[in-house]
Each structure stands twice: as structure tokens, then as C-alpha cells.
Amino acid sequence: MAVTGDLPTVGVIGGGVGGLSAALSLLAAGFDVRVYEQAAELREIGAGVQVSPNASRLLHRLGLADALAATGVKPLAWHQRRWDDGRTLLRAPLAEELEATYGSPHYQLHRADLLAALLDAVPAERVHLGHRLTGLADLGDRVEARFANGQRAEVGVLVGADGIHSAVRGLLFGPDRARFTGCVAYRGLVPAERLRHLDLEVTAQIWMGPGRHFVHYFVSAMRLVNFVAIVEQDTWTSESWTDRGDLADALAAFAGWHPQVRAILGAGDETFVWALLDRSPMDHWSVGRVTLLGDACHAMLPFMAQGAAQAIEDGAALAACLRAVPDVPAALRRYEEVRIPRTARVQAMSAGNKTRFHLPDGPEQRERDERMVAGSAAWSFNAAGWLYEHDAGKL
Ligand SMILES: Cc1cc2nc3c(=O)[nH]c(=O)nc-3n(C[C@H](O)[C@H](O)[C@H](O)COP(=O)(O)OP(=O)(O)OC[C@H]3O[C@@H](n4cnc5c(N)ncnc54)[C@H](O)[C@@H]3O)c2cc1C
């Protein structure tokens, strides 16, 4: 059966942050939802993720407020600093001020804690592991999904939330490789007790220097410090987009940087290295009864910490459109009309931050720093209202 009552059944391909949060938004809107995930077990990598108010308000609405508050850290500020002397360039208040302004908090989370909170909220019988989508067939009033394990499923709507190398995207729009952005990211987690001597403030800190930047913040109820070390490089040769990296390489890339940066990197046990990939905005995300969400359709550089947040917004908007517009293909057109301009704007701003964050020391950098210190740079949090106040669940 593809239809329950008046509402179509929905199949979500991919059980990542985007797929699970979409499943929750769709369930809350009354849809019969199934999630199909290729992995035999749902796991997240050891890294942090920031969840800004535009996403936390949606997760709270889905009943996750207590779970997020249990492990999430609310930073006092967003603190941008110079790579060498640690001088403060911008300190934008988060915590109470942000929460009072936007009505929902900014969290720093371990990715595994976020995934666990989402997974706990989705009824287990709705998640089908070991299902790798390999094919699709348009059957007119429904869609058939075909999996590598030989199973098939018929649904009224199919959503590709299957990440940057999306199979659904390839089946809808043809093969297309994601673009290497010229940046790699070393990521890791350090037990906070190892860094006690640094007396780290509870802020999200971003250190900006020529051709690279370094981000760190507490996660897991302050037990761990997450770091992300971004380095520009010309080529990426590995087949994989995630590999075990070498902390010595990361330390070498940050030679001469402020002692706090080097102490955090030096205290880690391991790091993973990512090629950062992105894509240009797409004109369409949907064909008939099939659509996309998250990295599958708007992969972006993580320089506004918005990839997961935008995927969470997609799910809320998709549920609202499917509720508001009874005809599925028309609802999916409405969904992409609502979402493409916003996600394209975030993609462009994230890409722009690569240049701004990584300026070589010189006149342009000095001008940037002066503007930041004066609090007038267009990309300060003062200018982030359009991003944070948005409620993607309201059309
Ligand atoms: C260094 C770095 C830092 C970041 N920091 C932040 C941050 O602070 N804040 C933020 O909001 N975002 C951040 N992001 C971005 C964020 O991690 C991603 O945008 C987000 O995880 C994408 O979610 P998704 O569900 O679309 O895709 P994924 O998380 O990639 O999930 C896709 C799922 O689909 C499954 N799948 C794939 N193919 C198939 C198939 N054929 N059949 C079935 N299942 C399949 C996969 O196994 C996976 O479980 C960061 C990214 C990076 C690289």
C-alpha cells in the first residue's frame, strides 16, 4: 500500500542526521514513514557538530529538547582570534543573548549524541538497516525502491537523504562528482581533563590564519573538546573522503601557531582527515514523486556550521509542503521552491568564508580584522538574523 488515509507513505533513503530528522518531522505530521539505511548499524564518527537556533527550534519541536540539553554545551560566545598572537577579532555573544533573541539555543554536540537522540525518537520498526538503494522505478501513483539485498519497497514519496555521494541524486539527475574545494579537515576529540591547564573558556573559538583555520569547542557535557583543523591544499588523492589522519601532519600544518592551538592538537590520540567537497546549487531537487534533502542536494563547506542544520530544516519544510499540497509532485515542487534559494545562499556564504577566513597576512587581512574588531563585518552574528530566526516548519 502506498497510501495511508489521505496521506502518502514516505520512504527515506539514508539514516544520517538529515534522514532521521526528516523521518521525525514527517511522523509528527502524520505520515507513515520508513527509513532505509545501507549500514548494518547506525554510527557516527568521533567529531562535533554545532546546532544553531534555526535547527534547534525544529529539534525541540520534535521532542528532543531534554536529550539535547543532556549532553549539548551552550557556548557563551563565538570567539574569532588571530592565528599567531591570539588577539580577539570578534566576540559575538551566544548563550542567553542568542536564546533570548531567537527563542532557541545554540548547541555544541558530539555527532554520536545527536544521532542517538534522533534514533531514540524514531520507532525502531521504522528503520531498516542493511538496505542500500540501487534502483528506482516510477510506477505512476507510487515509486518502487530497489535495494542491493534484493528487497523492494513501494511508497508514495521517496526522499534521498543519502549524503554527498547520493545514489538517489545519481538516479534522478545522472552521474556527477562532488567538487574538491581545495581544503582538507583534520577532526578529533580530546578529553577535556587533558586540557585543564589551558583553562579554556566555554566558547566556540575560531583561529584564522593564512590558508588555514582552526576551530575548537566543548561537547559531551564538557567532557570532550572537539577540534577541526582546516588546511588548504591543491590536491586530494585518496579514494575515500574520510581517512585516518596523522596528528603529526596536522601539527606540522599549524607550526608557529598560538600555543593553545598546538596544545589542543598535541593532546589528541587520533585524527581523521576529510577532503571537503561541495557542489553548485541545483536548479531542481525533485522528479515526480522523488526528491532529495541534505548533503544529497546542497553539499557545502562547513564554514558556517550549517550542513546538518540545513538538512534538519529540509525535513521540516518537506513535511509542511506535503501536508499543505495534496498532489505529491506539486508538493515537491513547492518544497524545492522554498528550500533552494535559502540553501544556495548558505552554500555561497560558506564558500565565501574560505577566502575571508584564510586571507594571507597583509593589507586585506588587516582591513578584515579592523572591520571585525569594529563589529561591522557583514558576516558577524549581528547579520545572522535571516539564518537563525527562520522557522522551516512554517510555510
Ligand atoms: C569538518 C566538518 C564539520 C562540520 N560541522 C558542522 C556543524 O558544525 N554544523 C552543521 O550543521 N553541519 C556541519 N557539517 C556538515 C554536516 O556534517 C553534514 O552536512 C550533514 O551530516 C549531512 O547530513 P545528511 O543526512 O544529508 O548526510 P549523511 O550524514 O552523509 O547521511 C547519509 C546517510 O545515507 C546513507 N546512505 C548513503 N548511500 C545510501 C544508499 N545508497 N542507500 C541507503 N543509505 C545510503 C549513509 O550511510 C548515511 O547514513 C560539518 C561537515 C564537516 C565535513
Side-chain angles (χ1 to χ4, degrees):
M1 277 290 284
V3 176
T4 304
D6 289 339
L7 296 177
T9 54
V10 186
V12 176
I13 307 301
V17 170
L20 290 178
S21 54
L24 282 175
S25 288
L26 289 158
L27 284 168
F31 291 89
D32 179 4
V33 184
R34 299 277 183 270
V35 177
Y36 300 94
E37 162 61 41
Q38 64 181 2
E41 189 189 344
L42 276 179
R43 265 198 308 215
E44 260 295 350
I45 45 105
V49 60
Q50 304 193 56
V51 174
S52 48
N54 49 314
S56 70
R57 88 164 42 86
L58 303 173
L59 297 176
H60 281 193
R61 195 174 293 154
L62 295 171
L64 269 59
D66 289 347
L68 298 184
T71 63
V73 176
K74 295 181 185 176
L76 299 174
W78 176 249
H79 187 182
Q80 291 181 281
R81 308 177 69 173
R82 277 284 286 163
W83 67 280
D84 49 0
D85 60 10
R87 195 166 77 245
T88 295
L89 299 176
L90 189 117
R91 205 184 151 88
L94 295 174
E96 280 99 21
E97 200 166 329
L98 187 91
E99 203 166 332
T101 308
Y102 299 115
S104 202
H106 185 100
Y107 289 114
Q108 298 166 169
L109 291 157
H110 191 308
R111 290 184 68 95
D113 293 336
L114 175 57
L115 199 78
L118 290 165
L119 201 54
D120 273 358
V122 180
E125 69 275 11
R126 295 189 176 274
V127 181
H128 302 270
L129 300 174
H131 279 64
R132 181 166 64 84
L133 181 106
T134 52
L136 290 174
D138 183 344
L139 306 178
D141 63 346
R142 59 208 194 282
V143 182
E144 183 184 75
R146 297 172 186 158
F147 300 96
N149 62 8
Q151 302 278 320
R152 292 170 183 227
E154 283 186 18
V155 290
V157 185
L158 192 104
V159 184
D162 49 346
I164 191 160
H165 302 299
S166 169
V168 177
R169 177 193 160 106
L171 290 164
L172 292 185
F173 298 104
D176 168 23
R177 287 174 75 88
R179 181 172 53 207
F180 177 53
T181 59
C183 291
V184 298
Y186 294 88
R187 300 168 93 181
L189 295 166
V190 181
E193 69 206 20
R194 284 189 204 164
L195 301 172
R196 198 162 291 147
H197 61 287
L198 296 176
D199 200 17
L200 293 175
E201 52 176 27
V202 188
T203 56
Q205 294 196 30
I206 168 167
W207 301 73
M208 300 190 297
R212 57 208 64 201
H213 74 275
F214 187 83
V215 181
H216 63 85
Y217 50 81
F218 286 99
V219 297
S220 296
M222 305 277 292
R223 287 191 299 276
L224 295 168
V225 172
N226 173 68
F227 70 78
V228 187
I230 306 282
V231 181
E232 284 187 26
Q233 66 180 50
D234 293 340
T235 53
W236 177 257
T237 48
S238 170
E239 287 285 305
S240 157
W241 74 298
T242 313
D243 271 334
R244 199 168 282 271
D246 195 336
L247 274 168
D249 291 343
L251 269 168
F254 287 82
W257 278 54
H258 190 275
Q260 182 169 311
V261 170
R262 293 187 52 79
I264 295 170
L265 270 177
D269 290 323
E270 61 173 6
T271 182
F272 287 85
V273 62
W274 263 252
L276 296 185
L277 310 174
D278 74 354
R279 293 179 191 276
S280 301
M282 299 169 68
D283 294 334
H284 295 286
W285 293 354
S286 317
V287 175
R289 294 174 168 271
V290 185
T291 195
L292 301 170
L293 67 73
D295 279 8
C297 50
H298 50 66
M300 60 182 73
L301 275 167
F303 301 167
M304 286 180 75
Q306 280 293 314
Q310 292 303 310
I312 292 165
E313 286 192 7
D314 289 342
L318 177 63
C321 290
L322 285 168
R323 268 318 297 212
V325 184
D327 175 63
V328 169
L332 299 186
R333 280 196 298 278
R334 175 94 174 99
Y335 160 66
E336 58 180 45
E337 274 164 26
V338 172
R339 294 300 300 158
I340 289 177
R342 179 165 167 86
T343 52
R345 183 174 180 187
V346 181
Q347 282 177 293
M349 288 184 77
S350 301
N353 276 348
K354 175 183 167 191
T355 312
R356 283 190 283 270
F357 287 1
H358 294 180
L359 285 177
D361 287 351
E364 261 192 282
Q365 162 265 324
R366 283 195 291 279
E367 195 206 336
R368 175 201 69 191
D369 292 357
E370 277 163 26
R371 279 156 49 86
M372 288 180 76
V373 170
S376 61
W379 41 284
S380 81
F381 276 158
N382 296 333
W386 68 274
L387 186 59
Y388 290 163
E389 71 197 5
H390 185 71
D391 186 335
K394 300 210 167 105
L395 291 180

